[in-house]
Amino acid sequence: MSETSATTEVASQYAARVASDLESNAKEQERIGAEIVALQEQLTALQHDHRVLVNIQQALAGAAPAAGSTPVPSPRKDAVAEPAPGRKGTRARKGGASSQSPAAKKSTAKKASAAKAPAKAVGAKAAGPTLVELVRRHLVAQSEPRSAAEVSAALAQDHPERPVRTTVVRNTLEGLVAKQQAQRTKQGSSVYYTAIDAPEPAPAPEPASQAESK
């Protein structure tokens, strides 16, 4: 009878240990998944900026030769040559022609407009906050814990132009928990998240000249 009890106790200990390891493994997977999502967003933004900058570089490279290819008028002494009969003043008119044709001016204007459009796109991309920032701001503004579904619904309502999936929001929240910027609590089978207030920055030291004057 004692051997059976000992075997049962050992099995219970192993079962508890396995359950604990499974829970730790799941939490680690969630943390790494959130970091992957955040890094993927950063990579996508960098790739977009790279394409925009390449387009700007190509536009500027195409506009430079057009601006520098202005024909220089021929010297006056070369234009005063003996004209052929019936074609008086032909070479003189060619030497004094306009330095840039209307077609070349139109092409230069189009390239300049194409260079401005990507620049505006870069500014709009840089001004938009990331999903991590949006989730963090939403949690900070709340006075009660929020679930991943509630945060996703609120972001979809506040930012209809950005489709948000609950799975991605949950991974982002777990990433904030891993960075100690949010706190996770459980109520039954539901998980809720609360923002952790960031510490206030320390005051900057006064310059040495002001300290001596005081």
Side-chain angles (χ1 to χ4, degrees):
M1 186 66 180
S2 60
E3 293 180 358
T4 304
S5 300
T7 303
T8 304
E9 183 178 358
V10 171
S12 300
Q13 292 178 355
Y14 274 106
R17 179 61 181 274
V18 170
S20 176
D21 291 345
L22 283 174
E23 184 178 1
S24 300
N25 186 282
K27 290 181 180 179
E28 187 67 14
Q29 290 185 34
E30 292 178 354
R31 182 185 68 81
I32 295 176
E35 292 182 356
I36 290 175
V37 170
L39 291 174
Q40 185 63 38
E41 286 187 353
Q42 297 179 7
L43 177 60
T44 302
L46 290 174
Q47 289 175 345
H48 178 271
D49 293 345
H50 180 269
R51 290 193 297 270
V52 171
L53 292 173
V54 168
N55 292 335
I56 294 175
Q57 186 182 41
Q58 292 176 353
L60 294 176
S69 61
T70 304
V72 179
S74 302
R76 188 173 182 83
K77 61 182 180 179
D78 294 338
V80 185
E82 184 67 22
R87 299 180 63 184
K88 186 177 181 179
T90 302
R91 293 185 61 185
R93 286 196 300 271
K94 287 184 179 180
S98 176
S99 61
Q100 192 172 14
S101 63
K105 293 180 180 179
K106 188 174 181 181
S107 176
T108 304
K110 285 184 178 180
K111 290 177 180 178
S113 300
K116 291 180 181 179
K120 293 181 179 178
V122 173
K125 181 67 178 177
T130 62
L131 180 60
V132 178
E133 294 175 350
L134 292 177
V135 172
R136 169 68 176 165
R137 293 176 187 174
H138 180 75
L139 286 183
V140 171
Q142 305 304 312
S143 58
E144 297 180 355
R146 290 290 185 269
S147 64
E150 292 173 341
V151 175
S152 178
L155 293 181
Q157 183 177 0
D158 295 341
H159 303 277
E161 75 283 356
R162 295 184 60 170
V164 181
R165 295 171 54 188
T166 305
T167 305
V168 178
V169 172
R170 182 180 294 106
N171 291 337
T172 304
L173 290 168
E174 290 296 334
L176 292 175
V177 172
K179 296 177 182 178
Q180 297 183 355
Q181 296 180 1
Q183 183 177 1
R184 184 200 311 115
T185 56
K186 284 188 177 181
Q187 297 181 9
S189 59
S190 302
V191 180
Y192 295 89
Y193 301 88
T194 308
I196 298 177
D197 295 335
E200 297 183 356
E206 296 183 355
S209 59
Q210 294 182 2
E212 292 177 359
S213 64
K214 293 181 180 179

